[in-house]
Amino acid sequence: MNILVINCGSSSLKFQLIDSDSEKVLAKGLCERIGIDGSRIVYQPAGGEKETTEAPMPTHTEAIKLVLDSLIDANKGVIKSLDEIGAVGHRVVHGGEKFAKSTLITDEVIKAIEECNDLAPLHNPANIIGINACKELMPNTPMVAVFDTAFHQTMPEEAYIYGIPYEYYEKYKVRRYGFHGTSHSFVSKRAAEMLGKPYDSLKTIVCHLGNGASICAVDHGKSVETSMGMTPLEGLIMGTRSGDIDPAIVEFIAKKENKTAEEVLKILNKESGVQGISGFTSDFRDIEEGIEKGNKRAKLAMDVFAHRVVRYVGAYIAQMNGVDAIVFTAGLGENDKTIREMVCSHLEFLGVKLDDAQNSKRGEDLIVSTDDSKVKVLVIPTNEELMIARDTLALI
Ligand code: ADP
């Protein structure tokens, strides 16, 4: 069956059409600048050229219509009619405490997702717009919502309760939720497969290090701790996000710079992290180039980033009382051997040993620790779309 996977942002939409039998991507692409001048669709059929077309997309409905038109186009299309799409899987950012699993989308489910809007005001409304647009264009096709937060609903209370008045949790559900759940789940399961061990027998730490970054402790197949919180701002230093800071800084900067709390939070989300420290980029490739050229702030950004990763990995080893496998994934985790070396050099006391030849490879599932390393270190390219397609198939 062909499954259309949709990941709707506020002004963008990523898609993949996946054949669930072979798990191959038949076509993929994205729509950018939805609702803004200069909107365009990038479309690429498997084995074909990437094609960019400018087209008006005042709303997500037009964007999804363009995606569907491309998929059935006589020349570049990969299916003959929309009947060949068996189901649609939607990435939904926040499922709050309502969703501990992926779910078939009904009107009640849409309402429940809307009730989580407060917790993810930038993301959830866009996800719902995408769901409604698909419903309008393919009214009889079953749809599934796959939540970024769901995998972490197994976290124990002591991991998700903040040290603030409990009534804020009771009244407003202010607590830690965690994100990147689809990736942490996919990658930790794949690690167990690669190690030939039952998933529920392992203590695994997944380092999802991309532009957005988070770490997850997976204890016997369940997420028990993760570094993002009520929003994705908590935890690691990221491309443009600050990660953990002393909350008193918000008021301090607001006063000094004559800004509102909202403005300071925007800075913490969009102008901080690696971008803020380096002063010139949020992209780790530029950071590495900067380090090679002797740029001190680039080096500092990388060091601060790595320091925070080590802090979380160390904490999670203690939390789980041990670790069997540490997995690196996402843009930086998959591609950058240096960050893996920097982190693992702090774990030699546990008997972690990297195999330099393995660690220098790229783009495939790899065990990068030596055979005698006491803790296995793996690199596994994440594949959130495939995980969404698998969940979608399972539910319909
Ligand atoms: P997201 O999905 O959060 O946007 P990705 O997982 O795509 O992020 O990761 C993007 C990050 O990965 C960028 O900061 C980018 O610089 C980094 N990255 C990608 N390729 C490389 C590479 N070859 N070396 C170092 N960093 C890389």
Side-chain angles (χ1 to χ4, degrees), residues 334-351:
E334 287 165 27
N335 292 302
D336 186 3
K337 67 177 280 200
T338 319
I339 186 70
R340 300 193 292 262
E341 283 168 359
M342 286 169 92
V343 174
C344 291
S345 70
H346 288 262
L347 302 171
E348 282 163 5
F349 76 101
L350 281 175

Side-chain angles (χ1 to χ4, degrees), residues 56-234:
M57 296 174 213
T59 71
H60 288 72
T61 308
E62 288 82 13
I64 289 177
K65 175 118 192 12
L66 282 165
V67 170
L68 299 177
D69 286 348
S70 304
L71 292 172
I72 57 171
D73 186 85
N75 298 315
K76 65 187 176 195
V78 290
I79 50 174
K80 292 205 179 65
S81 85
L82 294 185
D83 295 342
E84 290 178 45
I85 299 178
V88 183
H90 290 270
R91 175 191 179 217
V92 178
V93 169
H94 220 304
E97 287 187 330
K98 291 178 199 293
F99 298 102
K101 286 199 171 87
S102 302
T103 181
L104 204 60
I105 296 176
T106 60
D107 288 343
E108 288 77 53
V109 167
I110 295 179
K111 227 193 252 156
I113 297 172
E114 271 167 357
E115 282 162 17
C116 301
N117 279 4
D118 246 11
L119 295 168
L122 296 178
H123 294 100
N124 270 30
N127 300 152
I128 292 166
I129 291 170
I131 290 170
N132 284 331
C134 282
K135 212 169 120 190
E136 193 182 322
L137 297 166
M138 294 182 281
N140 300 317
T141 309
M143 299 198 287
V144 166
V146 179
F147 300 90
D148 258 26
T149 48
F151 183 58
H152 304 299
Q153 279 296 301
T154 48
M155 276 197 287
E157 257 180 338
E158 62 268 27
Y160 71 69
I161 289 293
Y162 285 116
I164 58 175
Y166 193 72
E167 67 191 77
Y168 298 142
Y169 169 60
E170 291 174 313
K171 283 203 280 194
Y172 313 120
K173 294 287 168 214
V174 174
R175 51 158 281 183
R176 308 185 61 252
Y177 291 94
F179 299 85
H180 290 141
T182 312
S183 175
H184 289 301
S185 163
F186 177 84
V187 166
S188 54
K189 284 193 182 104
R190 179 77 190 111
E193 261 172 41
M194 285 169 67
L195 296 172
K197 296 264 171 65
Y199 186 45
D200 58 9
S201 73
L202 290 176
K203 295 177 181 181
T204 307
I205 293 177
V206 180
C207 304
H208 177 113
L209 310 179
N211 189 30
S214 72
I215 301 195
C216 180
V218 186
D219 195 355
H220 296 84
K222 291 200 166 98
S223 167
V224 292
E225 249 294 9
T226 191
S227 56
M228 284 177 167
M230 183 172 100
T231 78
L233 187 54
E234 189 178 335

Side-chain angles (χ1 to χ4, degrees), residues 7 14 91 180 208-213 238-239 241 274 281-288 302 329-337 339 362 382 384:
N7 179 356
K14 291 188 204 148
R91 175 191 179 217
H180 290 141
H208 177 113
L209 310 179
N211 189 30
M238 309 183 209
R241 294 189 192 119
V274 169
T281 185
S282 64
D283 193 306
F284 284 96
R285 284 164 289 203
D286 302 336
I287 289 288
E288 276 169 15
M302 193 62 167
T329 192
L332 182 72
E334 287 165 27
N335 292 302
D336 186 3
K337 67 177 280 200
I339 186 70
R362 252 170 53 183
T382 192
E384 291 165 275

Side-chain angles (χ1 to χ4, degrees), residues 256-274:
K256 291 275 180 204
E257 298 266 316
N258 202 18
K259 289 187 189 306
T260 62
E262 203 176 354
E263 286 167 337
V264 177
L265 275 174
K266 199 165 162 206
I267 293 169
L268 296 181
N269 267 301
K270 305 261 182 208
E271 297 169 34
S272 299
V274 169

Side-chain angles (χ1 to χ4, degrees), residues 2-6 15-18 27 64 67-68 71 85-90 134 138 388-389 392:
N2 297 323
I3 295 176
L4 180 61
V5 176
I6 300 265
F15 66 92
Q16 285 194 5
L17 186 68
I18 296 177
I64 289 177
V67 170
L68 299 177
L71 292 172
I85 299 178
V88 183
H90 290 270
C134 282
M138 294 182 281
I388 293 173
T392 303

